[in-house]
Amino acid sequence: MDKLCSKLLNYCLMKCSVQNMAVEVVCLAYAFLFGVAAFGPTPRTVWKVTETDLIMFRSPEVYNYSVLLLNEDSGVLYVGARDAIFALDMLDIQKIQKQVSWPVSEEKQNSCYTKGKSKETECRNYIRVLQQQDDSNLYVCGTYAFQPVCDRLSISEFTFEEKQEEGKGKCPFSPTQSYTSVMVDGELYAGTVNNYWGSEPIITRSSQQSTLRTEYSIPWLNEPNFVYADVVREKNLDGDDDKIYFFLTETAVEFEFFTKLLVPRIVRVCKGDQGGQRTLQKKWTSFLKAKLACFSPELNFVFNVVHDVFILKTPSWKDTVFYGVFTSQLNNAGVSAVCAFNMTSVETVFTKGTFMQSVICDQTQTKWLQSSKEIPSPRPGMCINNEARAQNINSSLQLPDKTLQFIKDHPLIYDPVTPVGNRPKLIKAGVNYTQIAVKRVQAFDGNLYDVLFLGTAEGALHKAVIYDTEVHIVEEVQLFSNRVPVETLLLSSKEGVNYLYASSSTGVVQSPLAFCENYKTCTDCILARDPLCAWNSGGNVCVSIYKPGLDQSSLVQQLSGDSSTCKEVDEGYETYPVQILKPGEVAKMVCHIKSQLAYGIWKFNETEMIISTDSPKYYLHSEMLLIFNVSQGDYGLYECFSREKVKNKFHSHKMAGYILKAPPIVHHTATASVTSTIQITMESSMQSTTHSASSSAFTSNMDTTRNPTVELLSSTLETLPTTVAPLKTTFVVSTISAAEASQTVTCPSFQRVDYLESKDCGIYAAFLAIFCSLFLILLWYSFYKGFLPNVRSYCSALRSKKSTSELADCERGQKEGLMQKPCLNNVQSQQNEQPKSVHDSGYEMEPDCENGKLVHEETSQEAVTEKDKPFDVASNLKYVDSDGEE
Ligand SMILES: *[C@@H]1O[C@H](CO)[C@@H](O)[C@H](O)[C@H]1NC(C)=O
Ligand SMILES: *[C@@H]1O[C@H](CO)[C@@H](O)[C@H](O)[C@H]1NC(C)=O
Ligand SMILES: *[C@@H]1O[C@H](CO)[C@@H](O)[C@H](O)[C@H]1NC(C)=O
Ligand SMILES: *[C@@H]1O[C@H](CO)[C@@H](O)[C@H](O)[C@H]1NC(C)=O
């Protein structure tokens, strides 16, 4: 079928008969069968909500924040919502400067209700037009319970002028009808519908004096869905006029298909248009429209619905680029595309393209064909330019009837506007883009890069950068946690203010343009390939290039992703956490790789491990490595590397390292010697409460000392409340079983030891010491006999493998082997138990107990990783990381 489609399509393309676009669309349906679903670049980083410093604005009981207007000179973001308008501080949108409500009167609401509309939703005032009229006024229009009205809002007082004007032709009647508007030199250009039923589409220009509008006929506008409008100023250097562009999707007249075929359009009108004298009186004489062709030749895929457009304005208007987000009409898989159109191709189509004309066949059918008629002069649809002036035409009112009649009948250009590169810049499956904003950024390499900000139908934002041969999606941020579609995107362009504003039905969000500080290492900062970020080798941080007061010379930016310039200090394996495991136990090593473009490589004793997916011994997960049934040959050095492919080159960097050790062989030791060691160790830990130095001291102890008691002691210390946080994170899995064991014994609290020692109460101290050493011997004995193995971690590991029968066996065995295991027994039995004094000691027992809940939550991947915490490995990794930053 794919072959057939390609053939048909090639045929369509070669014949270049636009009427056969129908075939293309049929092909669309099949394209889904061929793996399009997995198409497109993956965002490198997906930030969690906690990693992004977004500022959210929402006012109680106010919804449908549909229009945003930024006034950068006064630093205000205006927001139009349902029944209300807000003026917010552009730098912190939670600061409301002014607000005004604009509800529908009770009487109007009731009459709307009697027409069968919903009083609570539809019969309200949805703000649809919010524009800056002049320095002191905003121009605001709302649906006003299906009777659209406009009014002027004083910026200083934030009160309405109360001279309501008819909103018809500027603002839709219903909140579900489409709208777009732009204010140019005090005149409002709007595209919307002109009647209650929404059957009469219209593009207008309204000013105090007059209104210009479209002809009401199918060739002009056919069920359009307006998405965007903006002005491109041409500075009148060659005597030409400024132009206003509208973007919409409408039902095609030129194609035949069994269903309504949609087509994306670009519409152009001239700012100086005055309408015609006799023909096209008070109507546009410069109205022209053309098809936007966003088509992927590789996928045989037509994107025929435009959702939003951003006009990237440049110092020279001729370099203007139109960026649009598109999907296809049969978008059941959610495939979006971004196409860029340059001004050259838009200009060429409008000024040189051939027109289409309708022909009546069989007395009833209307067919649209390429017009072969002679084109009158001046060319229809042109603005008044020097050429027209040379013919003594200084205003559209002086245009000859022939030209006007032609444009009235032939507003559609046959030639489509083709995208830059003749294909989409970006195609992405599995996402519906709703909004686009673009920022052109000058990077340190001197080149300009277009950074695309794409809002999705699920309330997220993708930031993509266009590089020569590819589009790289730097990151994904969830702007709206309730996953409502992004309805408006706005970028600030003022020097020093780098924010993005987004609105949805539930609120407004202010986001930074980049999250550079989240990249903790030079390598990560470079591999992100974000032109807005650079590595500051002086401060050892990744910073935004717009951060004020930066010393350019100490900044590194390599958009090629070449991180070899990074001089990262290798901490060496001395800093790795040590896991002490008996043969037969399970090792769990976490390696958190944030980049979605990277994969993890594990090395054992500096040799890369080859781990097959069906290996019974190893289990490799994106975040961790499990080794089941640890044996003698498994002890050694483990290191995890993140390997990321950038431009066909691999970049690796170390993410984590572990040392797996066998437990030492323990001999019986005299009670007295243990006692003395306890005191020594306690003292040393007391001296170093928070220093990380103490932790490394312990680690080296473990490495060098052959005296087993010291080792045992240091792990027992864990169970005592003397242990401070940094210490705890150093001794990882090995200490957990010891901690569990301690639950059965009431150990003295730190304060008491401290008190006793300081008061020199020798007898009490000796008692205490004997008691503790007895416990230690008991503990060691339990270890030796295998009563207290690391069954718990083994079971959890099994859980994540979801082997239920093994799991049941394991838990049973464990319950038998252990008398006191409150966390693993179900919650009820835990509640029945007397609270133990250990629980009061300050040692964190709660996470252990939460592990018991794992069983209920194992289906959720997120829950599993979250609940992995009892192992303390994750926090340990963080600790190692933060070490690396210093
Ligand atoms: C208005 O907001 C509500 C609440 O989020 C939403 O359900 C509704 O669809 C919105 N209506 C329009 C027309 O956007
Ligand atoms: C995209 O939109 C289409 C049509 O509304 C919908 O069927 C599809 O599920 C959406 N896909 C995603 C990934 O949101
Ligand atoms: C504009 O786009 C067209 C179509 O892809 C291309 O042929 C032309 O070279 C581009 N012009 C400029 C100035 O980029
Ligand atoms: C791995 O290295 C450790 C020392 O770093 C050594 O004790 C162990 O025997 C080595 N294991 C293998 C299988 O080579």
Side-chain angles (χ1 to χ4, degrees), residues 142-192:
T143 57
Y144 214 75
F146 288 82
Q147 292 191 322
V149 290
C150 301
D151 204 348
R152 255 165 288 275
L153 181 66
S154 142
I155 289 173
S156 53
E157 309 293 319
F158 229 61
T159 51
F160 282 102
E161 204 176 55
E162 302 287 350
K163 279 192 218 152
Q164 290 194 353
E165 294 174 1
E166 168 92 273
K168 208 165 157 266
K170 304 171 197 165
C171 178
F173 286 66
S174 151
T176 57
Q177 290 161 350
S178 80
Y179 57 93
T180 186
S181 68
V182 60
M183 184 72 87
V184 183
D185 302 334
E187 294 182 305
L188 185 77
Y189 294 76
T192 188

Side-chain angles (χ1 to χ4, degrees), residues 604-605 633 635-636:
F604 173 54
N605 280 2
Y635 296 120

Side-chain angles (χ1 to χ4, degrees), residues 69 71 74 78 85 129-140 151-163 165 183 186 208:
L69 171 72
N71 187 326
S74 51
Y78 297 103
I85 299 121
V129 174
L130 182 64
Q131 299 286 353
Q132 183 108 26
Q133 171 110 54
D134 49 48
D135 288 345
S136 46
N137 289 295
L138 298 182
Y139 193 71
V140 193
D151 204 348
R152 255 165 288 275
L153 181 66
S154 142
I155 289 173
S156 53
E157 309 293 319
F158 229 61
T159 51
F160 282 102
E161 204 176 55
E162 302 287 350
K163 279 192 218 152
E165 294 174 1
M183 184 72 87
Q208 309 291 71

Side-chain angles (χ1 to χ4, degrees), residues 63-66 82 121 126 128 175-176 482 484 487 504-506:
Y63 296 96
N64 310 92
Y65 300 83
S66 45
R82 191 175 71 185
T121 58
Y126 292 80
R128 292 303 188 228
T176 57
N482 50 0
V484 289
E487 287 178 22
S504 73
S505 61
T506 56

Side-chain angles (χ1 to χ4, degrees), residues 573 604-605 632-637:
Y573 58 82
F604 173 54
N605 280 2
Q632 210 59 44
D634 295 326
Y635 296 120
L637 184 69

Side-chain angles (χ1 to χ4, degrees), residues 225 227 247-249 264-265 292 304-309 324-326:
N225 185 51
V227 300
F247 299 87
L248 53 107
T249 305
R265 299 271 195 230
L292 288 171
N304 63 332
V305 179
V306 61
H307 292 274
D308 190 30
V309 170
V325 280
F326 295 79

Side-chain angles (χ1 to χ4, degrees), residues 327-336 429-433 457-458:
T327 61
S328 83
Q329 190 171 353
L330 306 171
N331 186 28
N332 41 4
V335 184
S336 295
V431 64
N432 288 326
Y433 290 134
E458 301 236 285

